[in-house]
Amino acid sequence: MMSQCFIAASVFLMLGVKTATAQFAVIAHKEVPADTLTQAQILDLYCADIKIWNNKVPVVCFDLKLQSDSRDAFYKLLGKTPSRMKSLWLKKLLMGEGEPPAALSSEEEMVKKVASTRGAIGFVSAAKATREVKVIFVVAKKEK
Amino acid sequence: MIRFKLFGSVILLCCGLSRGYAQTNERDLKTFGYFQVSVSHEKSLTGSTENKSFSLQQLNLFLQKQLTTNWTAFINFEFVNSYSSFRNWGAHSLEEVWVSYRASNQVKLKLGLQIPTFNNLNQIKNLTPLLPYIIRPLVYETSFNEILELGEFVPGRAFVQMYGYIPVGAAKCDYAVFLGDSQNINSNPARGQTGVDTTRFFLLGGRFGIRTDNLKLGASVTFDKLDLHETAEFYGYPVADFKAVPRLRLGGDLSANLGKFTWESEVIRVTYDDDYPQFNKDKQFYYGTAGYHWTERLFAYGSYWVAREKFFPLQDRDIYASTVGAVYNLNEMIFLKAQLARALFKASFPSSLRETAHYYFCALSVVF
């Protein structure tokens, strides 16, 4: 419980989010070779522009089925509306260039899936991130 | 016994297929597609023509398989205009059959029958759920094939394409270079097997562009040669000079988003390089579409299209069309569309022609 609170607090600080509704964490499988990602990199991952991690493991993105505060905040981070993202995924799908992320029913399922799927990345409310997954720190710009 | 074998094969095939959404097991063969069914009403203001009809405008069926992490195979079957071989309606074609290799975002390779990257709309012209239009901007509308020489405006097929993007700060520089056959499908049995692309020339082309989150612009080019000796013979020109006429297509595209407003536009110029000043088959096409997202689900637009064709050696033909429409995204998989268009046809030969027509369309576009 302490660790979850610590993770949540860290995520809150690193994201610099200002409202209670926007406390979310970008999470990844423990073996994902990245600790920080930029907003642009996360968008590239979710748009299937980046398909493979540096360790050659395929990227597997997860989305949430239902509207939630964390989902809204995550899409806001990407700078896209849900319908715009769905339109981008549809374009990739129909051009044979990629597939939409699997949409999961709950944040608990998101944590389980990300923890058990190599190369996985997802997002949950900051308080739901556990030690089973890696919390990715989102930075404003790519570090040099 | 044969029936059992057939039944067994069908069961095995079905077991091997999976619905193509969401990142699933990469070894699965995925099937998905879309269709658009429409109703149209066409009324000529200068003549007495009036047509109303329902149509299964288009059905595309895709098969896709991720062969390895880097290799993907893709097949696209297309059926248009209520296809029925029994009734001799519509057409069926293998639009795309390719395998792609992704070395990195900078270097991707596509081998096999494919629609080449040219301007903004060429590659996605058939993806009806992505487009707000029911009738697409003139040179991208397959059903206008009898009115315009569509294959001369935009390249329809390529067989090898290298493409990718290079990040430059917040922007991405796109490139695509492709190789294919020059446009020349044989429809004359006297010249050999019909339907076979008997061209002696390659098509070389590409697109270079830059895009950010809200802006995309690019320039496209293709170069090939056409065998026009039959046309030359018909008009009494020296046949030998028209066996390999160089053709250059130049294109430019610009798309932008500004809040709820969107803009997309293209220009295409086709020129033929010959030594006869009176020979003229040059073509031009322009379109611009301004759109507005009223809500997350409702998008409305207005668009203006111009196509100008010179016909060797005497005729000029122009089409001007203005259109407005809207698309409502019902549930991400079903789209309702409506479109009104007014078209003006002008021709100068064999006699001066000026005809105006109104079109009304409604359509349902479904992804499955």
Side-chain angles (χ1 to χ4, degrees):
Chain A
M1 188 60 193
M2 281 288 285
S3 63
Q4 284 185 9
C5 290
F6 175 73
I7 290 170
S10 309
V11 170
F12 182 78
L13 289 171
M14 293 305 288
L15 288 174
V17 282
K18 289 172 185 170
T19 63
T21 56
Q23 295 175 44
F24 73 99
V26 175
I27 57 171
H29 187 267
K30 286 258 183 185
E31 290 176 17
V32 162
D35 296 321
T36 61
L37 289 171
T38 65
Q39 175 267 348
Q41 286 171 324
I42 295 172
L43 184 61
D44 282 348
L45 290 164
Y46 269 79
C47 289
D49 277 344
I50 300 175
K51 288 189 163 184
I52 301 169
W53 295 106
N54 287 341
N55 61 357
K56 307 292 179 197
V57 174
V59 174
V60 181
C61 297
F62 289 110
D63 188 20
L64 284 174
K65 259 183 200 164
L66 304 172
Q67 189 269 337
S68 65
D69 289 342
S70 57
R71 184 168 173 255
D72 288 347
F74 180 70
Y75 278 49
K76 201 171 179 183
L77 169 78
L78 298 182
K80 306 281 180 194
T81 61
S83 69
R84 179 71 189 133
M85 280 307 290
K86 284 186 175 164
S87 170
L88 285 172
W89 290 331
L90 189 58
K91 183 176 177 182
K92 292 275 181 185
L93 176 77
L94 299 181
M95 291 180 76
E97 299 250 318
E99 294 165 35
L104 306 174
S105 310
S106 66
E107 296 196 346
E108 288 74 17
E109 191 186 358
M110 174 81 83
V111 173
K112 274 186 194 168
K113 277 280 189 187
V114 170
S116 62
T117 310
R118 289 193 75 205
I121 183 167
F123 58 89
V124 288
S125 307
K128 298 267 176 72
T130 68
R131 278 176 171 271
E132 294 167 355
V133 293
K134 176 190 275 192
V135 174
I136 301 285
F137 295 116
V138 181
V139 293
K141 286 185 180 176
K142 196 173 181 178
E143 290 174 346
K144 291 184 180 173
Chain B
M1 188 62 188
I2 290 171
R3 269 189 204 168
F4 280 117
K5 278 185 181 169
L6 185 64
F7 182 69
S9 305
V10 171
I11 294 291
L12 280 174
L13 181 66
C14 292
C15 290
L17 300 177
S18 76
R19 196 158 172 266
Y21 296 156
Q23 294 161 348
T24 49
N25 187 335
E26 70 174 32
R27 303 292 178 218
D28 287 344
L29 175 63
K30 290 152 196 161
T31 56
F32 52 102
Y34 58 84
F35 62 83
Q36 183 160 292
V37 61
S38 63
V39 57
S40 65
H41 180 193
E42 173 192 345
K43 187 173 168 50
S44 169
L45 300 185
T46 41
S48 56
T49 315
E50 186 167 358
N51 299 314
K52 299 171 190 170
S53 66
F54 284 98
S55 167
L56 176 60
Q57 201 177 348
Q58 191 170 321
L59 162 69
N60 285 66
L61 185 62
F62 300 114
L63 298 177
Q64 183 187 24
K65 186 161 183 173
Q66 190 83 38
L67 303 174
T68 68
T69 304
N70 295 326
W71 289 91
T72 307
F74 187 81
I75 298 175
N76 174 4
F77 299 96
E78 186 169 288
F79 305 80
V80 295
N81 294 337
S82 307
Y83 173 72
S84 165
S85 61
F86 174 68
R87 296 182 174 90
N88 287 326
W89 286 350
H92 171 218
S93 75
L94 265 174
E95 277 295 290
E96 295 173 272
V97 181
W98 49 257
V99 63
S100 71
Y101 175 73
R102 184 189 184 102
S104 65
N105 282 332
Q106 287 76 46
V107 181
K108 293 179 253 183
L109 194 62
K110 213 183 254 189
L111 304 169
L113 178 61
Q114 60 195 277
I115 301 167
T117 309
F118 185 85
N119 275 0
N120 178 48
L121 212 50
N122 193 44
Q123 236 185 344
I124 58 168
K125 64 189 170 195
N126 290 330
L127 306 182
T128 53
L130 293 177
L131 304 174
Y133 315 106
I134 300 172
I135 293 297
R136 294 155 280 197
L138 297 171
V139 301
Y140 295 110
E141 181 51 57
T142 317
S143 58
F144 288 168
N145 211 16
E146 290 172 8
I147 305 171
L148 288 166
E149 292 185 276
L150 304 185
E152 299 212 9
F153 282 93
V154 287
R157 303 170 128 206
F159 284 82
V160 181
Q161 184 166 220
M162 192 168 92
Y163 63 107
Y165 69 79
I166 297 154
V168 181
K172 287 172 180 152
C173 289
D174 295 308
Y175 78 91
V177 182
F178 56 82
L179 190 64
D181 284 333
S182 180
Q183 167 212 354
N184 192 21
I185 303 295
N186 182 22
S187 55
N188 181 0
R191 290 172 55 195
Q193 190 178 352
T194 55
V196 173
D197 200 325
T198 52
T199 182
R200 291 180 287 130
F201 313 109
F202 276 139
L203 163 82
L204 177 65
R207 178 184 179 274
F208 300 89
I210 189 160
R211 69 188 146 104
T212 64
D213 265 1
N214 293 312
L215 183 72
K216 180 182 171 188
L217 62 99
S220 304
V221 62
T222 74
F223 178 77
D224 60 357
K225 289 181 180 178
L226 284 190
D227 183 348
L228 298 173
H229 80 271
E230 285 187 350
T231 314
E233 197 173 10
F234 182 81
Y235 287 107
Y237 282 79
V239 169
D241 293 349
F242 287 86
K243 285 202 165 179
V245 179
R247 173 175 60 184
L248 185 69
R249 292 188 188 100
L250 292 173
D253 62 274
L254 170 69
S255 311
N257 299 315
L258 185 64
K260 290 186 172 184
F261 291 94
T262 67
W263 170 259
E264 65 174 49
S265 53
E266 285 190 18
V267 53
I268 297 171
R269 292 178 70 92
V270 188
T271 53
Y272 297 78
D273 183 17
D274 62 281
D275 299 326
Y276 290 82
Q278 64 274 50
F279 173 88
N280 200 343
K281 269 174 73 74
D282 293 358
K283 293 166 179 35
Q284 293 159 40
F285 172 68
Y286 314 92
Y287 92 84
T289 300
Y292 183 75
H293 290 277
W294 287 97
T295 68
E296 270 287 286
R297 296 191 177 277
L298 180 63
F299 176 76
Y301 63 90
S303 191
Y304 190 66
W305 313 331
V306 179
R308 316 183 89 165
E309 277 191 295
K310 301 279 188 189
F311 278 85
F312 170 68
L314 291 169
Q315 191 182 40
D316 287 357
R317 191 156 67 177
D318 300 344
I319 302 177
Y320 305 87
S322 47
T323 181
V324 292
V327 55
Y328 184 75
N329 177 349
L330 202 61
N331 60 8
E332 319 299 346
M333 294 289 132
I334 300 175
F335 303 84
L336 305 172
K337 299 180 183 180
Q339 189 175 352
L340 310 176
R342 179 190 170 92
L344 169 64
F345 302 89
K346 282 168 69 178
S348 62
F349 180 82
S351 58
S352 182
L353 169 78
R354 189 183 175 91
E355 187 172 329
T356 308
H358 280 179
Y359 301 86
Y360 309 88
F361 306 96
C362 284
L364 179 69
S365 202
V366 179
V367 183
F368 57 89

